[in-house]
Amino acid sequence: MLVVHQSSLALPQEPKHFDVFQEWPDGYVRFIYSSEEKNAQRHLSGWAMRNTNNHNCQILKKSCLGVVVCARSCALPGGARLQLRPAICDKARQKQQKKACPNCNSALELIPCRGHSGYPVTNFWRLDGKAIFFQAKGVHDHPRPESKLEAEARRSAIKKQMSSSHHSQKKRPLNSEAGRYHDSGSYANNLQNLPCMDGPERVGIITDTNFSIPAQSYPSLQNSDLYKASYDSASFQEDQLLPYSKCPNPRIYMPRPCSYEFGVPTFISSSPYPAFYKDLASPAIDADPLSLNGSHYNAVTAHDKSLDNPGRHYGLKSAWGKTGSGDRSDYGQMQTSVNHPYYVGDYPCRYGPSPSPIAPPLQTVITTTTKVSYQAYKPSTLKYNDNLCDMKNLQSYTHVAENVSGTIYSGMKIQEDIGMIKSALLYQHDPVPTKSEPAESVETYRCGPLLGNSYAEHEGETLRFESADY
DNA sequence: TCTTGCGGGTGCT
DNA sequence: AGCACCCGCAAGA
């Protein structure tokens, strides 16, 4: 299915369609946003990303800081876990870590992101004319922190409280803060709501609850209401219960992405959620970020052969060990779209929910080639039908959850589950992407997420993109 | 006070 | 050369 032509250097055409802004991009994904998209202009991300100097003025690079959690992983009143957004500024972050857990007063701990072959997940941004190209590398191996807006909302709320209530309530800030975490499904998780999980194992598990879900489509961060809603405790509960109870799959989170490279992007139609990426073989070698000019892409995940993730904390390993799939070869972060069940490429990893598929040998070899041309086409979506899950139903749950609580967490999780399922299915049924291209990078792309923005027109159409460096 | 972006510089591979 | 990362600076909220 994947076709890669590195030889082709044709310049990418100007994107006619833009992806809906993704607040939580995860996995090896690529999106093209309109230069009008404010969130994209600001290079926003739900993840705490700090600027990284890549000595390239053309491309803004950011790396993930991870998430701040309670060192004791205490459970908040609702059973959720504290997951703070790390301060971006080094100094501010140091201060932040010196503070005590608002819930139990124990120390706070920063869980670094090691989702990109042991290094933090990186995001690349490039403005090119009317489009803003985005590329993410790595799969976040930690829970989601508060989104930027949530963090800001919380701070302002605390300030308000502080100013409105005086002495007698001096203690409230802490409590209220804890309560907020508790209330917000987006950064507080309730283990009880993870029916699919094998079961929390220890501390590590907590993180699972909030694992990133591949970018879900999130129309806009600008919708502050969303966050306001997240503070509604009532909503929170619904949010938590609803989605999970319906979700048959556990969310398996791979501690680390496998290596990935760009090689063959496949364009699939647009999906509201980032594509699932798979990677095949080589150890993380990154090919040029944003090298794809106009391609609409979503990459897909990669797998690392090295299952071991040194530096990985929070019991991920143990969690994996339990998942029963044997090894942690399933790294998939499935970013899948309910609406667009296509997945390109093979899925080397085994997925928990579905019995370990046979992992094909690495079919894709990714190289560091900077110039790659891609051909994308939309794969058939039919194969997904009638599968393990009722995607439509799941999707509807997702929507419900989002509407109810305003948090995207629940829905995302579901989507991820769906993605996993899909990927598993694909893996099992679609041997296609098995082309091995030695020394060649192969990357699978999907069209950007879009509910309204569809690339349907690309169906069956082959798009070629130049992957020269942006 | 903090975020964000920039850029000099270092160390490793 | 590419990448990660440290540090400081400046602008802006």
Side-chain angles (χ1 to χ4, degrees):
Chain A
M1 296 182 93
L2 299 180
V3 179
V4 176
H5 295 284
Q6 301 209 357
S7 58
S8 160
L9 298 178
L11 292 175
Q13 296 175 7
E14 240 189 44
K16 293 179 180 177
H17 302 279
F18 297 108
D19 293 305
V20 170
F21 182 77
Q22 302 291 305
E23 184 183 15
W24 300 96
D26 199 359
Y28 296 80
V29 300
R30 294 181 174 208
F31 298 110
I32 298 177
Y33 303 121
S34 164
S35 57
E36 311 272 303
E37 166 57 66
K38 293 184 179 179
N39 294 311
Q41 289 175 348
R42 296 167 188 162
H43 309 137
L44 290 182
S45 175
W47 302 101
M49 306 297 292
R50 71 169 166 189
N51 187 48
T52 298
N53 182 17
N54 62 342
H55 299 279
N56 184 338
C57 306
Q58 306 297 309
I59 300 172
L60 175 63
K61 180 181 178 181
K62 292 188 160 195
S63 56
C64 182
L65 288 167
V67 61
V68 172
V69 301
C70 171
R72 290 184 185 176
S73 64
C74 68
L76 295 174
R81 309 285 164 147
L82 187 72
Q83 293 168 197
L84 298 175
R85 182 180 186 81
I88 303 301
C89 172
D90 293 349
K91 289 182 180 178
R93 195 167 56 255
Q94 289 181 349
K95 277 188 180 179
Q96 180 184 39
Q97 292 183 66
K98 289 179 181 177
K99 292 181 180 176
C101 169
N103 184 49
C104 71
N105 251 335
S106 60
L108 291 179
E109 181 179 359
L110 174 67
I111 303 177
C113 178
R114 304 288 185 203
H116 187 208
S117 301
Y119 287 106
V121 168
T122 51
N123 286 354
F124 299 88
W125 295 88
R126 174 166 182 162
L127 171 62
D128 184 29
K130 295 180 180 177
I132 293 175
F133 296 91
F134 170 84
Q135 180 174 5
K137 290 185 175 184
V139 178
H140 295 275
D141 58 346
H142 53 85
R144 287 184 185 181
E146 303 162 274
S147 68
K148 185 183 175 185
L149 290 180
E150 285 170 335
E152 290 176 349
R154 180 170 51 80
R155 276 184 221 141
S156 62
I158 291 174
K159 278 188 179 181
K160 279 187 178 179
Q161 270 196 344
M162 294 288 275
S163 62
S164 62
S165 60
H166 307 295
H167 301 312
S168 60
Q169 305 188 350
K170 277 186 178 179
K171 292 182 179 179
R172 291 196 72 178
L174 282 180
N175 294 332
S176 65
E177 188 168 330
R180 287 174 189 291
Y181 290 117
H182 170 214
D183 290 346
S184 171
S186 54
Y187 43 92
N189 301 302
N190 187 328
L191 295 178
Q192 298 178 336
N193 294 321
L194 297 174
C196 300
M197 300 293 290
D198 284 350
E201 298 224 354
R202 322 182 304 183
V203 182
I205 288 303
I206 40 177
T207 57
D208 278 294
T209 58
N210 221 0
F211 269 140
S212 60
I213 292 141
Q216 80 291 0
S217 74
Y218 203 118
S220 167
L221 292 177
Q222 301 169 8
N223 181 358
S224 57
D225 289 337
L226 188 125
Y227 295 105
K228 291 177 182 175
S230 68
Y231 291 127
D232 179 341
S233 59
S235 301
F236 174 71
Q237 293 197 335
E238 266 190 11
D239 174 75
Q240 301 262 315
L241 297 174
L242 220 165
Y244 295 118
S245 59
K246 302 288 186 177
C247 172
N249 280 316
R251 183 178 164 157
I252 295 181
Y253 204 89
M254 299 332 254
R256 160 191 196 170
C258 317
S259 40
Y260 110 36
E261 304 205 55
F262 284 47
V264 183
T266 302
F267 243 79
I268 311 174
S269 60
S270 57
S271 128
Y273 306 92
F276 172 58
Y277 224 120
K278 67 177 204 179
D279 216 9
L280 319 170
S282 27
I285 299 170
D286 298 330
D288 44 352
L290 300 180
S291 56
L292 307 180
N293 270 336
S295 53
H296 234 338
Y297 34 44
N298 276 347
V300 185
T301 260
H303 290 283
D304 209 8
K305 294 175 161 191
S306 60
L307 299 178
D308 220 34
N309 187 6
R312 210 23 21 220
H313 311 324
Y314 281 72
L316 288 174
K317 284 186 180 180
S318 58
W320 293 129
K322 269 182 133 194
T323 46
S325 297
D327 45 299
R328 304 165 244 171
S329 36
D330 17 278
Y331 287 46
Q333 200 161 34
M334 329 239 142
Q335 303 191 352
T336 325
S337 136
V338 177
N339 295 331
H340 306 272
Y342 17 131
Y343 154 74
V344 186
D346 44 339
Y347 186 41
C349 299
R350 296 197 229 136
Y351 211 90
S354 65
S356 53
I358 305 153
L362 306 181
Q363 309 183 348
T364 308
V365 176
I366 300 164
T367 62
T368 56
T369 307
T370 35
K371 294 186 178 182
V372 181
S373 68
Y374 310 97
Q375 284 190 344
Y377 66 95
K378 181 180 180 179
S380 162
T381 61
L382 296 176
K383 54 182 69 175
Y384 294 103
N385 296 337
D386 305 330
N387 274 318
L388 307 178
C389 291
D390 179 329
M391 305 297 188
K392 288 182 179 179
N393 287 337
L394 288 175
Q395 181 174 31
S396 63
Y397 291 134
T398 298
H399 289 159
V400 171
E402 291 182 7
N403 291 334
V404 172
S405 65
T407 61
I408 45 182
Y409 170 62
S410 309
M412 295 175 86
K413 183 153 181 34
I414 292 173
Q415 289 166 4
E416 181 176 284
D417 291 336
I418 294 170
M420 293 169 78
I421 294 170
K422 289 179 180 179
S423 63
L425 290 173
L426 271 175
Y427 183 77
Q428 296 180 323
H429 303 289
D430 188 2
V432 175
T434 332
K435 209 180 252 190
S436 65
E437 309 231 6
E440 201 167 349
S441 318
V442 178
E443 185 170 315
T444 301
Y445 290 85
R446 265 179 34 162
C447 288
L450 304 194
L451 292 174
N453 212 3
S454 162
Y455 293 86
E457 54 212 65
H458 292 307
E459 216 169 292
E461 165 183 0
T462 300
L463 301 179
R464 179 167 298 179
F465 300 97
E466 159 68 341
S467 66
D469 296 336
Y470 278 158

